[in-house]
Amino acid sequence: MGEFDFIRHFLSCFEKARVPVGPGDDCAVLPPARVPVCATVDSVVEGVHFTRPFFRLADVGHKALAVNLSDLAAMGARPRWFLCAVSLPSRFSKAQVLELARGMAPLAKRHRIQLVGGNFTRADRLSVTVTALGEVSGKGPLLRSGARAGDVLYVSGSLGDAALGARLKGRAPPSAARRQKRPEPRVRLGLVAALYARAAIDVSDGFAQDLGHVCAASELGARVSLQRLPLGAALARTRMPESEKRQLALRGGEDYELLLAVPPARASAFEKAAGRQGEKVTAVGSFTREERLLFLDAEGLPVVAPGGYDHFL
Amino acid sequence: MGEFDFIRHFLSCFEKARVPVGPGDDCAVLPPARVPVCATVDSVVEGVHFTRPFFRLADVGHKALAVNLSDLAAMGARPRWFLCAVSLPSRFSKAQVLELARGMAPLAKRHRIQLVGGNFTRADRLSVTVTALGEVSGKGPLLRSGARAGDVLYVSGSLGDAALGARLKGRAPPSAARRQKRPEPRVRLGLVAALYARAAIDVSDGFAQDLGHVCAASELGARVSLQRLPLGAALARTRMPESEKRQLALRGGEDYELLLAVPPARASAFEKAAGRQGEKVTAVGSFTREERLLFLDAEGLPVVAPGGYDHFL
């Protein structure tokens, strides 16, 4: 199979893009946007972001798009278009290309993001680089720098199951393996957050580090109640010391949840709006003028030595 | 060095993007475009598109952006923004990251395309994937499908030197090696062509194959005068059978010239406008209603057995 065969088979799995010019010319042509456009790019690389056979090719396809949709969600953006650059080993078969695309296509359809272009090239190892474009919605874009002291700190869904899946791989509980391989980007929640929140980030590097990014950009600190952190169901059930579970939830990463700063006056309305979309959010703390990150135990005592988040992380 | 250090050093080589949100958040935010936007993505992969030390890292950086600018040029688009996803071996140093960026930054500046985002990840081998966005200009976008029978077939610059550089590598004449490592995308010519031409493609896969793409998309054929093909200066000087030189010019690829279809009534004005921009263009043939590709010798006789371009290529 040549490059053009790969492209043809890959494209056959996706709905035809409704754009002035879709895949097949030197560039795609997108209609003029009436609002600002969010753009992001992220790669998943074999041996770094995934291993096979723990990841099936359909998982790789799903995840490559999902991590980019998560970045759009963190801006409160509405997904619109994406380009997909695939590097693949020379012995890749038609069936393998189709499996990769079939892992990606349903997610694209669900979030109404259209494949408008891409590139296939040879490489020693499989990697997929997706560039995603979305339109700013609501009062967005939601930036990392928008939080203010007193804002309620929310996190969506649950933390730690994806990291548990990565650690245990084939021996992981199925739901944890699925969280690792098939993250569900919080696109709908991002659109809600664009109406209520002041700042957002997606939790890809781990809750603590990503909270640190928001704090740094907003020139704030934060207080987090450890016992309020929503542990993943699989992690909660696993036989493991509590402190280790907490580490996975705080630092494991790849949760692809949203971390949000919401003004206290809008917190209740935000929770209701999120609930109407079926999106779980948990208030786990608040942002503070003092630029340090504090994790508090059930008694409200700091359990990690305080310090600037730069040193701390 | 960690991911964030790589990003910081890389960014330090580029001018700060004048966009609502540049690198550093979950997404870049671009202003709403008043015209349609062209989008393209292309990767350069070590061992496939380049080898070291024939390519220095600065060459890799230049070429990764250049091949994408060439796609924008082929649409007649004005370069605006790009994202850069880099996969690099774990032992990459700060100096190496800077060299990569310093090969890319002058080209970006020259064509006024702003780096708005990107991604760094580990990998076994170096690869750089650039996504470039540009605004449609003139009467563009120029599509592959726009040619009509009777249109004059132009090619810019010269052909074959890049392929000669790839073949001879370290033993190549310096100008041929440079054409291979530092292609200069025909962005200015693309903007001129957007006012005069009906169809365009950039010559990346080889003149014959790329002409075949235009013919297929336009449902036309073409007649090409072989003796009018502008051979690269290094190729012309090289001691090599004429037939072999012609093969490199026709099929070598990576010329990153533009191949254009211009209505005969506008040909003269087009040539003058290109000349004012210092861009050389050569009329090498014409498009025909009969869907076959004919290469003609000095006497106007076909030198390659005629046939549909699909079989031919």
Side-chain angles (χ1 to χ4, degrees):
Chain A
M1 285 220 303
E3 183 187 350
F4 299 111
D5 297 310
F6 281 125
I7 294 171
R8 190 164 46 84
H9 294 312
F10 193 82
L11 285 174
S12 72
C13 300
F14 292 85
E15 289 186 4
K16 199 171 175 303
R18 295 177 301 281
V19 288
V21 179
D25 216 304
D26 295 271
C27 294
V29 182
L30 313 175
R34 283 159 298 182
V35 296
V37 167
C38 295
T40 185
V41 63
D42 222 334
S43 306
V44 296
V45 179
E46 184 167 9
V48 179
H49 301 96
F50 65 90
T51 53
R52 291 189 281 164
F54 176 53
F55 273 72
R56 292 179 303 120
L57 286 168
D59 300 325
V60 175
H62 174 102
K63 191 162 179 177
L65 179 57
V67 300
N68 283 281
L69 286 169
S70 183
D71 279 323
L72 290 181
M75 307 296 281
R78 190 178 306 281
R80 291 298 305 271
W81 311 287
F82 74 106
L83 300 99
C84 182
V86 183
S87 299
L88 35 76
S90 51
R91 284 189 212 170
F92 234 62
S93 69
K94 173 185 167 184
Q96 288 179 301
V97 167
L98 290 175
E99 193 192 339
L100 187 71
R102 284 177 185 150
M104 189 180 280
L107 185 68
K109 187 172 183 182
R110 207 148 64 236
H111 294 291
R112 297 185 182 181
I113 190 165
Q114 303 179 70
L115 177 62
V116 296
N119 186 60
F120 272 85
T121 184
R122 243 183 339 113
D124 293 338
R125 286 187 158 201
L126 177 63
S127 76
V128 183
T129 299
V130 168
T131 306
L133 303 169
E135 289 183 340
V136 163
S137 78
K139 300 172 190 166
L142 292 169
L143 306 185
R144 299 178 179 185
S145 56
R148 294 198 205 153
D151 281 353
V152 183
L153 168 60
Y154 282 95
V155 67
S156 64
S158 68
L159 300 170
D161 272 4
L164 184 68
R167 181 188 287 193
L168 300 180
K169 293 201 171 64
R171 296 176 294 108
S175 64
R178 192 168 174 83
R179 273 298 293 262
Q180 168 58 218
K181 295 189 280 188
R182 297 269 183 153
E184 280 297 336
R186 300 294 185 186
V187 173
R188 278 180 311 183
L189 180 62
L191 294 173
V192 171
L195 299 169
Y196 296 94
R198 267 206 279 249
I201 193 171
D202 78 319
V203 183
S204 53
D205 295 335
F207 177 89
Q209 185 168 336
D210 290 315
L211 176 56
H213 292 320
V214 174
C215 287
S218 297
E219 299 180 13
L220 294 174
R223 297 164 68 91
V224 177
S225 166
L226 283 176
Q227 64 172 11
R228 288 201 204 152
L229 280 183
L231 253 56
L235 182 61
R237 279 195 310 268
T238 296
R239 288 163 69 94
M240 187 188 276
E242 282 304 314
S243 61
E244 206 174 327
K245 292 184 182 183
R246 196 163 282 161
Q247 282 298 312
L248 279 180
L250 281 178
R251 305 186 191 286
E254 296 199 278
D255 300 296
Y256 299 106
E257 297 293 356
L258 295 186
L259 187 162
L260 299 154
V262 179
R266 280 187 254 162
S268 167
F270 166 65
E271 290 185 20
K272 282 185 195 126
R276 280 195 296 273
Q277 294 292 329
E279 296 281 352
K280 177 186 163 196
V281 292
T282 308
V284 297
S286 60
F287 288 90
T288 59
R289 201 167 306 281
E290 194 186 11
E291 293 187 34
R292 58 165 63 169
L293 209 50
L294 282 180
F295 292 95
L296 309 174
D297 67 13
E299 280 75 47
L301 298 173
V303 290
V304 185
Y309 35 75
D310 265 343
H311 306 102
F312 172 69
L313 292 173
Chain B
M1 286 219 304
E3 181 185 350
F4 299 111
D5 296 310
F6 280 123
I7 293 172
R8 191 164 45 83
H9 294 311
F10 193 82
L11 285 174
S12 72
C13 299
F14 291 85
E15 290 186 2
K16 198 171 176 301
R18 295 175 303 281
V19 287
V21 178
D25 216 302
D26 294 272
C27 294
V29 181
L30 313 176
R34 283 158 301 179
V35 295
V37 167
C38 295
T40 186
V41 63
D42 223 333
S43 306
V44 296
V45 179
E46 185 166 8
V48 179
H49 301 95
F50 64 89
T51 53
R52 291 189 281 166
F54 176 54
F55 273 73
R56 293 179 301 119
L57 287 168
D59 299 325
V60 175
H62 174 102
K63 191 162 179 177
L65 180 57
V67 299
N68 282 281
L69 286 168
S70 183
D71 279 323
L72 290 180
M75 307 296 282
R78 191 178 305 283
R80 292 298 306 270
W81 311 288
F82 74 106
L83 301 100
C84 183
V86 184
S87 299
L88 35 74
S90 51
R91 285 189 210 169
F92 234 63
S93 69
K94 173 184 168 183
Q96 289 177 299
V97 167
L98 290 174
E99 194 193 338
L100 187 70
R102 284 175 186 151
M104 189 180 282
L107 185 67
K109 186 172 184 181
R110 206 146 67 236
H111 294 291
R112 299 187 182 181
I113 190 165
Q114 305 179 68
L115 178 62
V116 296
N119 187 60
F120 273 86
T121 184
R122 244 184 336 114
D124 293 338
R125 287 187 157 199
L126 177 63
S127 76
V128 183
T129 299
V130 168
T131 305
L133 302 170
E135 289 182 340
V136 164
S137 79
K139 300 172 190 169
L142 292 169
L143 306 186
R144 299 177 179 186
S145 57
R148 295 199 205 154
D151 281 354
V152 182
L153 168 60
Y154 282 96
V155 66
S156 64
S158 66
L159 301 170
D161 273 4
L164 184 69
R167 182 188 285 192
L168 300 181
K169 292 201 170 65
R171 297 177 294 109
S175 64
R178 194 170 172 82
R179 272 299 292 265
Q180 167 59 218
K181 295 189 281 189
R182 297 270 184 153
E184 280 297 336
R186 300 295 185 187
V187 172
R188 278 179 312 182
L189 179 61
L191 295 174
V192 171
L195 298 170
Y196 296 94
R198 267 205 280 247
I201 192 170
D202 77 321
V203 183
S204 53
D205 295 336
F207 177 88
Q209 185 168 337
D210 290 314
L211 176 56
H213 293 319
V214 174
C215 287
S218 297
E219 300 180 12
L220 294 174
R223 297 164 69 90
V224 178
S225 165
L226 283 175
Q227 65 173 9
R228 287 200 204 152
L229 280 182
L231 254 55
L235 182 60
R237 279 195 310 269
T238 296
R239 288 162 69 93
M240 187 187 277
E242 284 303 314
S243 61
E244 205 174 330
K245 291 185 183 182
R246 196 163 282 163
Q247 282 298 314
L248 279 179
L250 282 177
R251 307 187 189 284
E254 298 199 276
D255 301 297
Y256 299 106
E257 298 293 356
L258 294 187
L259 188 162
L260 299 154
V262 179
R266 280 187 253 163
S268 166
F270 166 66
E271 290 184 19
K272 282 184 194 127
R276 280 195 296 273
Q277 294 293 329
E279 296 281 351
K280 177 187 163 198
V281 292
T282 307
V284 297
S286 59
F287 288 90
T288 60
R289 203 168 304 280
E290 195 187 9
E291 292 187 37
R292 59 166 62 169
L293 210 51
L294 283 180
F295 292 96
L296 309 173
D297 66 14
E299 281 74 47
L301 298 172
V303 290
V304 185
Y309 34 78
D310 264 343
H311 307 103
F312 173 70
L313 293 173

